[in-house]
mmCIF file of all heavy atoms in Angstrom:
data_model
loop_
_atom_site.group_PDB
_atom_site.id
_atom_site.type_symbol
_atom_site.label_atom_id
_atom_site.label_comp_id
_atom_site.label_asym_id
_atom_site.label_seq_id
_atom_site.Cartn_x
_atom_site.Cartn_y
_atom_site.Cartn_z
ATOM 1 N N THR A 140 118.265 154.373 67.036
ATOM 2 C CA THR A 140 117.355 153.245 67.254
ATOM 3 C C THR A 140 116.614 153.484 68.556
ATOM 4 O O THR A 140 116.796 154.508 69.190
ATOM 5 C CB THR A 140 118.143 151.937 67.439
ATOM 6 O OG1 THR A 140 118.826 152.027 68.685
ATOM 7 C CG2 THR A 140 119.141 151.702 66.339
ATOM 8 N N CYS A 141 115.824 152.498 68.954
ATOM 9 C CA CYS A 141 115.288 152.512 70.318
ATOM 10 C C CYS A 141 116.478 152.440 71.257
ATOM 11 O O CYS A 141 117.435 151.701 71.015
ATOM 12 C CB CYS A 141 114.375 151.311 70.533
ATOM 13 S SG CYS A 141 114.035 150.990 72.268
ATOM 14 N N GLN A 142 116.449 153.217 72.320
ATOM 15 C CA GLN A 142 117.591 153.305 73.227
ATOM 16 C C GLN A 142 117.568 152.221 74.301
ATOM 17 O O GLN A 142 118.433 152.180 75.164
ATOM 18 C CB GLN A 142 117.630 154.681 73.886
ATOM 19 C CG GLN A 142 117.538 155.837 72.895
ATOM 20 C CD GLN A 142 118.800 156.002 72.083
ATOM 21 O OE1 GLN A 142 119.876 156.154 72.637
ATOM 22 N NE2 GLN A 142 118.669 155.956 70.764
ATOM 23 N N HIS A 143 116.568 151.380 74.274
ATOM 24 C CA HIS A 143 116.404 150.323 75.281
ATOM 25 C C HIS A 143 116.693 150.853 76.681
ATOM 26 O O HIS A 143 117.552 150.346 77.406
ATOM 27 C CB HIS A 143 117.249 149.101 74.912
ATOM 28 C CG HIS A 143 116.751 148.478 73.644
ATOM 29 N ND1 HIS A 143 115.783 147.511 73.630
ATOM 30 C CD2 HIS A 143 117.021 148.746 72.351
ATOM 31 C CE1 HIS A 143 115.496 147.198 72.387
ATOM 32 N NE2 HIS A 143 116.222 147.948 71.577
ATOM 33 N N CYS A 144 115.935 151.907 77.005
ATOM 34 C CA CYS A 144 116.102 152.632 78.262
ATOM 35 C C CYS A 144 116.014 151.697 79.466
ATOM 36 O O CYS A 144 115.206 150.773 79.489
ATOM 37 C CB CYS A 144 115.007 153.682 78.396
ATOM 38 S SG CYS A 144 114.821 154.735 76.960
ATOM 39 N N PRO A 147 112.324 152.917 81.075
ATOM 40 C CA PRO A 147 111.588 153.200 79.830
ATOM 41 C C PRO A 147 110.192 153.778 80.058
ATOM 42 O O PRO A 147 109.311 153.091 80.574
ATOM 43 C CB PRO A 147 111.480 151.822 79.165
ATOM 44 C CG PRO A 147 111.573 150.850 80.294
ATOM 45 C CD PRO A 147 112.334 151.499 81.402
ATOM 46 N N PRO A 148 109.977 155.033 79.675
ATOM 47 C CA PRO A 148 108.646 155.630 79.825
ATOM 48 C C PRO A 148 107.594 154.878 79.025
ATOM 49 O O PRO A 148 106.422 154.812 79.435
ATOM 50 C CB PRO A 148 108.800 157.047 79.298
ATOM 51 C CG PRO A 148 110.188 157.208 78.861
ATOM 52 C CD PRO A 148 110.947 155.963 79.096
ATOM 53 N N CYS A 149 108.001 154.272 77.898
ATOM 54 C CA CYS A 149 107.032 153.571 77.058
ATOM 55 C C CYS A 149 106.405 152.404 77.818
ATOM 56 O O CYS A 149 105.226 152.107 77.655
ATOM 57 C CB CYS A 149 107.709 153.069 75.789
ATOM 58 S SG CYS A 149 109.134 152.033 76.118
ATOM 59 N N VAL A 166 114.000 146.034 75.517
ATOM 60 C CA VAL A 166 112.591 146.411 75.590
ATOM 61 C C VAL A 166 111.892 145.874 74.347
ATOM 62 O O VAL A 166 112.329 146.143 73.234
ATOM 63 C CB VAL A 166 112.434 147.941 75.682
ATOM 64 C CG1 VAL A 166 110.973 148.346 75.647
ATOM 65 C CG2 VAL A 166 113.109 148.467 76.942
ATOM 66 N N ALA A 182 104.848 158.520 74.551
ATOM 67 C CA ALA A 182 105.702 158.585 75.742
ATOM 68 C C ALA A 182 107.185 158.543 75.402
ATOM 69 O O ALA A 182 108.004 159.051 76.152
ATOM 70 C CB ALA A 182 105.360 157.437 76.677
ATOM 71 N N CYS A 183 107.536 157.921 74.297
ATOM 72 C CA CYS A 183 108.964 157.738 73.982
ATOM 73 C C CYS A 183 109.595 159.058 73.571
ATOM 74 O O CYS A 183 109.203 159.660 72.573
ATOM 75 C CB CYS A 183 109.144 156.732 72.858
ATOM 76 S SG CYS A 183 110.839 156.679 72.268
ATOM 77 N N PRO A 184 110.580 159.539 74.321
ATOM 78 C CA PRO A 184 111.191 160.826 73.982
ATOM 79 C C PRO A 184 112.121 160.749 72.774
ATOM 80 O O PRO A 184 112.578 161.776 72.284
ATOM 81 C CB PRO A 184 111.979 161.190 75.247
ATOM 82 C CG PRO A 184 112.144 159.936 76.005
ATOM 83 C CD PRO A 184 111.116 158.955 75.552
ATOM 84 N N TYR A 185 112.413 159.538 72.311
ATOM 85 C CA TYR A 185 113.369 159.392 71.214
ATOM 86 C C TYR A 185 112.676 159.092 69.880
ATOM 87 O O TYR A 185 113.332 158.761 68.908
ATOM 88 C CB TYR A 185 114.373 158.281 71.541
ATOM 89 C CG TYR A 185 115.099 158.526 72.833
ATOM 90 C CD1 TYR A 185 114.704 157.901 74.006
ATOM 91 C CD2 TYR A 185 116.156 159.426 72.876
ATOM 92 C CE1 TYR A 185 115.368 158.147 75.207
ATOM 93 C CE2 TYR A 185 116.813 159.677 74.066
ATOM 94 C CZ TYR A 185 116.413 159.044 75.227
ATOM 95 O OH TYR A 185 117.065 159.294 76.403
ATOM 96 N N ALA A 187 111.207 156.545 68.888
ATOM 97 C CA ALA A 187 111.768 155.287 68.416
ATOM 98 C C ALA A 187 110.712 154.353 67.851
ATOM 99 O O ALA A 187 111.044 153.358 67.232
ATOM 100 C CB ALA A 187 112.498 154.590 69.558
ATOM 101 N N ARG A 188 109.437 154.673 68.083
ATOM 102 C CA ARG A 188 108.395 153.712 67.718
ATOM 103 C C ARG A 188 107.629 154.139 66.473
ATOM 104 O O ARG A 188 107.456 155.324 66.229
ATOM 105 C CB ARG A 188 107.420 153.571 68.892
ATOM 106 C CG ARG A 188 108.097 152.905 70.062
ATOM 107 C CD ARG A 188 107.254 152.936 71.295
ATOM 108 N NE ARG A 188 107.840 152.055 72.292
ATOM 109 C CZ ARG A 188 107.318 150.897 72.651
ATOM 110 N NH1 ARG A 188 106.193 150.477 72.122
ATOM 111 N NH2 ARG A 188 107.920 150.143 73.542
ATOM 112 N N LYS A 221 109.007 148.530 66.862
ATOM 113 C CA LYS A 221 110.246 149.298 67.102
ATOM 114 C C LYS A 221 111.435 148.336 67.146
ATOM 115 O O LYS A 221 111.262 147.118 67.152
ATOM 116 C CB LYS A 221 110.154 150.067 68.419
ATOM 117 C CG LYS A 221 110.215 149.152 69.615
ATOM 118 C CD LYS A 221 110.626 149.914 70.846
ATOM 119 C CE LYS A 221 110.903 148.972 71.987
ATOM 120 N NZ LYS A 221 112.194 148.289 71.863
HETATM 121 S S1 SF4 C 302 113.820 154.714 73.395
HETATM 122 FE FE1 SF4 C 302 111.609 154.963 73.501
HETATM 123 S S2 SF4 C 302 110.778 153.002 72.862
HETATM 124 FE FE2 SF4 C 302 112.913 152.640 73.375
HETATM 125 S S3 SF4 C 302 112.887 152.021 75.546
HETATM 126 FE FE3 SF4 C 302 113.242 154.230 75.512
HETATM 127 S S4 SF4 C 302 111.216 155.115 75.695
HETATM 128 FE FE4 SF4 C 302 110.919 152.978 75.117
#
Side-chain angles (χ1 to χ4, degrees):
Chain A
T140 69
C141 164
Q142 309 288 304
H143 295 271
C144 310
C149 56
V166 175
C183 171
Y185 303 99
R188 292 171 169 252
K221 71 159 189 76

